[in-house]
Amino acid sequence: MTLLGHIHTGYWDSVGNPVLALPIGANAAGLPLSVQLAGRPFDEAGLLRVGQLLQRRTSWHLRRPAPVGAGAEVAA
């Protein structure tokens, strides 16, 4: 399966609904996972409120993955 096989934005791109992706954790290998939220047409503000609520109740957006390889630096 290709990387593009995991992207599910085509429908939302075609109908014009606002979409927001937020971090929700990490898999067993430490790679970040996310959730994609779709809002009602032209309701960007409502979708952003839901995203803000999710981030206020979790700390996933504050976490950083471990550096990969020697000499790698973690972004602040």
Side-chain angles (χ1 to χ4, degrees), residues 60-73:
W60 290 111
H61 63 286
L62 301 174
R63 299 180 187 190
R64 301 287 184 261
V68 178
E73 296 182 21

Side-chain angles (χ1 to χ4, degrees), residues 17-43:
N17 288 57
V19 178
L20 180 65
L22 296 168
I24 59 166
N27 67 12
L31 297 173
L33 300 173
S34 65
V35 63
Q36 184 180 33
L37 306 174
R40 294 180 183 134
F42 307 106
D43 189 21

Side-chain angles (χ1 to χ4, degrees), residues 32-58:
L33 300 173
S34 65
V35 63
Q36 184 180 33
L37 306 174
R40 294 180 183 134
F42 307 106
D43 189 21
E44 289 85 355
L47 184 60
L48 290 173
R49 282 192 300 273
V50 171
Q52 184 179 43
L53 177 66
L54 182 62
Q55 283 197 333
R56 285 184 178 173
R57 301 206 188 278
T58 66

